[in-house]
Every structure is written in C-alpha cells, then in structure tokens.
Amino acid sequence: PFEGDDDDDAEDIILNGEESHSENSQTVSEPEVSTSITVSCSTPDSIKQQKITDLLFSPSVTVKKQEMITESLVRYIAKDMLPLSSVDGIGFLEFMRTVSPNYEVPCRNTIKRRMLGLYLTEKNRVASGLNGIDFIALTTDCWTSRSNESYISITAHGITNEWKIVNYIITTELMDERHTSINLKEKLLDIISDWDIYNKVVCIVHDNAINIKNAVCSMAPDIKSRTCFAHSLQLCVNKGLEDKSIKDLLSTASSIVSHFKHSTVASKALLAAQKNLKMSTNKLVQSVKTRWNSVYAMLVRLNDSRQAICSVLNDRTVTTRTTALTLELSESKWELLEYLIKVLEPFNLVTNILSSAKTPTISTVQPILKNPRYKNHLIDNNNDGTLTLIRNFIQTQLNFDDGAGINQTDRDTAQHLEMTALDILFPDNERCSEQNELDKYVKENTINKNACPLAWWKENSSRYPNILKLAKKYLCIPSTSTPSERAFSTAGNIITAKRNCLSGETAKWLIFLSHNTKQQN
C-alpha cells in the first residue's frame, strides 16, 4: 500500500494498472502519480529480460544473413519434399514475420532457380564420390506416376577406399518412349555416359521383365545383367499361393480387411474390442499384388486380432447376419492361416535382409569367396572342384601367372607391410606366387555371421592385395532392385494428387536431393 491510501484502493491500483475511481485516492489519477507507480512496479531496463527473438535475430537482416536463410529454406524444402509453393503460404509467411520480420521471403520462381543450383552442386558432389570408387553397380526400375507419366530410376552403389558402402540416386527422370529393349538400352547408356561411369559399371540389377533383361545383356560384355532376387523369390511365393484352398482363404481374408477398412462402424467396433481384450490396436493390412510380403503382413495382422474380429462379426448390432456368414472363417481355415504365417515368415525375413543398402547382400544370395562369412560353405560342399573353379576364376580376372614374381602391387604395399628390400628380393615361399593368397584366405577362420565382411576386409586388405579387388568388384552389387523401388516411394511422396502437374525436371531435382542430401548427413 502507498502512504495515504487505503489497502483496498492500493489493491485496485496494483491489480488494474489503471487510475482508481476511489474518492480517497484522487491524486492517483494524475499522470505524475501514475508514472511513479509504473516506475516503482517495473524492472530496471538494465536487467529487463529480453525476448527470445531479440536474442536470435537482429532488427535488420544483412545480405549475408538473407542468403543463409534462403539457402537453408531451399534445403528444408528439398529434404522434406515440400511443394515449392510453400513459400507463398499464408501460414509460412506469418511464421517468417514472427521469426525474422525483416527477412524478404523469396517467391516460388526464385526457390525453383535456387533448387536447380542446389541440384547441380549436389550432383557434382555425388559425381566426385563416384569418381573415387573403382567399381560401380546399378539398379534400375520403371514407374508410372499419378499423372500417368512414366519414369525410370537408376541408383549407383560402390565400396569406398575406407570399405564403406555408398549408394546414390543418380536420376529419376521421365521416359516418354515405349519401354522396348532398344529404348531402355539407349536410355541407360545415355545416363551412364552423362555420369561418365561407363568403364566402372560392372553390373545392373533389374526386375524379371524380358525387355530390361535384353536391354542390359546387349549393352556390353563387361556389364553383367542380374535379376532382382527378391522379385524372383516373390514369383515363387505367388506360384505356391495358387493352391485352391489357399486362394479361397486369401480371398476371404482380403474381404475381411476390406470390410473393416470401408465401414467406419466396424472399424470403431474393432478398435473397441481390441482395447477391451487388451490387445494391440494395430490396424488391419490389405494385401497388394505388387507389394512384396503383403500377404504375409495381412495374415499376421488378422491372426493377431482374431478374437476382436470374431467378436465384432458376431455382434449383430454392428455386423449383419449375411455379412457375417460371408466373412466367416472356420476353425480349419484359421489353422491354415497360422500354418501359412509359419511358411511365409522365412521369405519375409530373407526379403528384408536382402533389401538392405548398407551392407553387402549379393554374397548372402550366392555365397562367394569374397565374403569371409560364407567361404567355408563352398569348401565343405565341393572342396576340390569348387576351389579349382575359384582359382581359375581369379586367374582370369586378375591375369595371374603361376610363375609370377614381384608385381606392382607388392611394391605398392611394401611400405604398409614394413617390408625390407631383402624381403622383396628374397620372398618367402608363401609370397612367391599371388595364388598363395587364396590358400591363405581359405585357411582363415570364418567370421561371425552377424559381423560385417567390409570391416573384416578393412582390417585384412593388406594381406590380400589381389583378392581385395574382386571383393570390391562383387560385394558392391545389390542382390535386389529395392533401392530403385525406394526411389519411387520418394517420388510418390513428391508427385502427389495435389502436385500432379509438377514438371518432370523439377521432380527429378527434388527426388535426387531428397535422397542424396540425407545420405550426406
């Protein structure tokens, strides 16, 4: 309370922050008194807490700061696959006025020009990375967008000198021509020539379509054609699912999923039943013919929610009798469903393992000498014959000579192995021939199946200077064309129903940047 004022009057002054209407405090309404009250109740300017925006941003945006924000904005749009028109949105403009009031937000045309500049910069970085790789494997696939435009995607894979696998999307671009083997071949060669990697490409992985098979096989003898193992595996699985009893089960299962997906009443009842039974509230999954392992995913979800599904189908307030009879699964069919899950589970695991782009997968499909996890499988199955084939293959690939003496590789690695001049002039019997590398390698202990073979090669590459070339050449090959499929998943998030007028060139930039900038991070 202030001197000469009542407690109530003082409270009015403090709470309201305005002049009091009490008769006993007429002087408070005068400007001088109001000013004194304000000063006495406020914090001195020297210790007044600043707003966070004052700390982060200066009142004026310098040219350098304007450029930094614009560059960051372009990367934000590219990485998160946002429309270029995001910069014209009312909400975005309000946000930027709050964050940096004096920043001049560029228009979408400016963002598009800057996106092209970022694409060219990133393309040079990727090209530099591919230039430092000795052997490159490609995957390719074709896809049709929502706007009925055909795209071809190509990804590149290799092993660096640090024994790390790298993968890039080098292009996802329009292909207006018919997908004949001749047109596909010309398109692939044009893209490979544009990236200047023709002499480094050792293999192209693709699906089982005859047109792409003929296209790759006719390109060059040094570029091998390999079909996608996961695609071949799924063709085998689909063939096995053609049994009549299985087809009937899958048809009913698919109808059950469709019923709950298209009926809001049924879906809500299913969710309530799952909660009442204390089950996981996962939604049902529909099988899609072109999606790998989708049948397995559908059956697993149905089996997990079996009690809840039966509860809803038996509830006549939710499901009619006619619908329930149509969707009913007998006990024998539920048993068949459980059996199918056990049968399909290994195929699902194999597909997931072989779809990895971060570890070597080709040797998991067909164990080869270059992978120290599986070399003993070759030896155990056919000791003499297999080793003879491998030895002949190595000699062909590296031009070995049984009586070869000192070669350039020995000289290059001499310093690393701390060899003396006498070691080079008078080599041990173990080093008289490069073929001894194979014998030494075969005697190596097999590493743990969960260990990365690239880590092993990084530690032991100096001991096998010739075989390591083949390791880099073949371990970089993906066993599936999944990387190209992932590129189209990215494309689907960019070329949406609301953005179906997006030009093919702009889509190419955005897909390229979305993947490769994340890989850089």
Side-chain angles (χ1 to χ4, degrees):
F2 293 90
E3 186 176 355
D5 293 334
D6 294 336
D7 290 345
D8 293 339
D9 296 333
E11 184 176 346
D12 289 338
I13 297 170
I14 295 173
L15 293 178
N16 297 329
E18 300 174 350
E19 62 179 28
S20 172
H21 298 285
S22 173
E23 296 180 357
N24 297 327
S25 53
Q26 295 295 330
T27 56
V28 177
S29 61
E30 297 180 6
E32 306 84 69
V33 179
S34 298
T35 304
S36 64
I37 293 173
T38 302
V39 172
S40 63
C41 295
S42 62
T43 306
D45 292 339
S46 59
I47 60 173
K48 185 178 180 180
Q49 184 178 7
Q50 290 181 290
K51 295 181 180 179
I52 190 169
T53 52
D54 294 335
L55 295 173
L56 295 176
F57 303 97
S58 59
S60 60
V61 178
T62 62
V63 175
K64 182 178 180 181
K65 189 68 174 179
Q66 176 85 17
E67 179 64 22
M68 288 176 59
I69 297 176
T70 302
E71 182 179 350
S72 180
L73 176 58
V74 173
R75 287 186 173 275
Y76 161 63
I77 291 174
K79 290 184 177 182
D80 287 1
M81 300 176 285
L82 298 176
L84 301 183
S85 59
S86 297
V87 294
D88 297 333
I90 297 175
F92 177 78
L93 294 174
E94 289 180 353
F95 171 75
M96 290 306 300
R97 279 196 294 268
T98 302
V99 174
S100 184
N102 295 307
Y103 172 69
E104 185 178 346
V105 179
C107 65
R108 75 170 74 183
N109 290 330
T110 301
I111 292 294
K112 185 175 181 179
R113 289 195 299 270
R114 301 297 289 269
M115 194 71 68
L116 172 60
L118 179 60
Y119 167 77
L120 295 176
T121 301
E122 193 65 21
K123 184 178 180 180
N124 290 335
R125 185 190 69 82
V126 172
S128 177
L130 293 176
N131 187 50
I133 296 174
D134 297 326
F135 304 101
I136 297 173
L138 305 178
T139 74
T140 185
D141 202 356
C142 294
W143 172 75
T144 302
S145 69
R146 289 175 177 267
S147 55
N148 203 32
E149 291 182 317
S150 180
Y151 286 81
I152 183 172
S153 180
I154 298 180
T155 65
H157 308 258
I159 298 176
T160 66
N161 292 329
E162 292 76 29
W163 288 94
K164 293 182 179 180
I165 282 188
V166 293
N167 66 90
Y168 305 103
I169 293 178
I170 59 174
T171 191
T172 302
E173 58 186 67
L174 286 173
M175 183 172 178
D176 297 326
E177 303 85 2
R178 292 183 59 193
H179 292 184
T180 63
S181 58
I182 295 176
N183 290 338
L184 287 170
K185 173 186 174 181
E186 291 177 354
K187 191 70 170 180
L188 290 171
L189 289 175
D190 288 344
I191 295 171
I192 291 173
S193 299
D194 178 54
W195 284 86
D196 194 22
I197 55 175
Y198 184 83
N199 294 327
K200 295 186 176 186
V201 176
V202 296
C203 181
I204 298 179
V205 184
H206 49 79
D207 60 22
N208 287 271
I210 191 65
N211 55 351
I212 188 64
K213 279 185 182 180
N214 293 338
V216 176
C217 290
S218 62
M219 288 177 65
D222 294 335
I223 300 178
K224 304 301 179 183
S225 166
R226 184 171 185 89
T227 56
C228 171
F229 181 79
H231 187 256
S232 302
L233 189 65
Q234 293 304 310
L235 292 177
C236 296
V237 171
N238 293 337
K239 190 69 175 177
L241 297 177
E242 291 180 358
D243 179 83
K244 186 179 184 308
S245 59
I246 296 177
K247 287 180 69 175
D248 292 342
L249 170 62
L250 296 181
S251 176
T252 306
S254 180
S255 297
I256 292 174
V257 176
S258 296
H259 170 71
F260 283 100
K261 282 188 172 293
H262 293 96
S263 172
T264 56
V265 175
S267 61
K268 290 181 179 179
L270 178 62
L271 180 61
Q274 289 173 330
K275 292 180 178 179
N276 291 335
L277 294 170
K278 297 182 179 179
M279 303 169 59
S280 60
T281 57
N282 294 327
K283 294 183 178 180
L284 301 182
V285 176
Q286 183 63 277
S287 64
V288 181
K289 189 174 182 179
T290 57
R291 186 172 298 169
W292 300 338
N293 299 317
S294 61
V295 170
Y296 170 77
M298 177 182 70
L299 297 180
V300 169
R301 288 293 177 86
L302 285 172
N303 190 55
D304 290 343
S305 302
R306 174 180 176 178
Q307 285 182 284
I309 291 172
C310 293
S311 174
V312 175
L313 294 180
N314 291 327
D315 186 352
R316 290 295 167 263
T317 62
V318 179
T319 310
T320 64
R321 178 181 175 82
T322 303
T323 302
L325 289 174
T326 304
L327 303 177
E328 183 181 11
L329 285 177
S330 63
E331 185 64 27
S332 61
K333 287 190 175 181
W334 280 110
E335 291 177 357
L336 177 59
L337 185 147
E338 293 178 357
Y339 177 74
L340 281 176
I341 291 175
K342 293 179 181 179
V343 172
L344 295 176
E345 183 177 12
F347 294 97
N348 178 63
L349 292 174
V350 168
T351 304
N352 291 335
I353 291 172
L354 298 182
S355 297
S356 173
K358 298 181 180 179
T359 58
T361 57
I362 189 68
S363 55
T364 306
V365 177
Q366 181 179 350
I368 53 178
L369 177 72
K370 277 69 68 181
N371 193 330
R373 291 183 293 187
Y374 305 114
K375 61 186 179 65
N376 284 354
H377 289 278
L378 296 173
I379 300 170
D380 294 339
N381 292 336
N382 185 6
N383 191 8
D384 295 333
T386 302
L387 287 180
T388 300
L389 289 173
I390 293 174
R391 191 184 302 277
N392 293 337
F393 176 77
I394 293 177
Q395 288 175 346
T396 302
Q397 292 290 309
L398 299 178
N399 297 320
F400 279 175
D401 188 306
D402 291 340
I406 305 169
N407 65 1
Q408 185 62 38
T409 305
D410 289 324
R411 298 188 185 96
D412 294 340
T413 58
Q415 183 177 1
H416 179 74
L417 296 175
E418 298 182 356
M419 294 174 59
T420 65
L422 294 177
D423 289 329
I424 299 177
L425 294 174
F426 304 101
D428 298 332
N429 291 333
E430 194 177 50
R431 294 189 56 81
C432 286
S433 173
E434 289 86 347
Q435 292 188 26
N436 285 329
E437 285 187 23
L438 175 59
D439 299 328
K440 288 164 56 180
Y441 178 82
V442 169
K443 294 176 183 178
E444 289 276 2
N445 293 327
T446 305
I447 65 175
N448 186 286
K449 60 180 176 292
N450 293 314
C452 179
L454 297 184
W456 186 91
W457 274 109
K458 183 177 182 180
E459 295 177 359
N460 297 275
S461 58
S462 60
R463 301 171 57 199
Y464 305 102
N466 294 290
I467 297 180
L468 71 85
K469 298 176 184 177
L470 296 183
K472 282 188 175 181
K473 182 176 181 179
Y474 291 102
L475 289 180
C476 72
I477 302 174
S479 59
T480 72
S481 58
T482 303
S484 293
E485 297 283 349
R486 291 197 183 104
F488 291 138
S489 295
T490 301
N493 293 329
I494 293 176
I495 310 173
T496 62
K498 292 184 177 180
R499 303 170 68 186
N500 57 13
C501 293
L502 189 69
S503 69
E505 194 68 15
T506 304
K508 172 183 173 180
W509 304 342
L510 292 173
I511 297 168
F512 180 91
L513 291 170
S514 175
H515 175 83
N516 294 320
T517 53
K518 292 177 182 177
Q519 292 292 106
Q520 182 181 10
N521 293 339

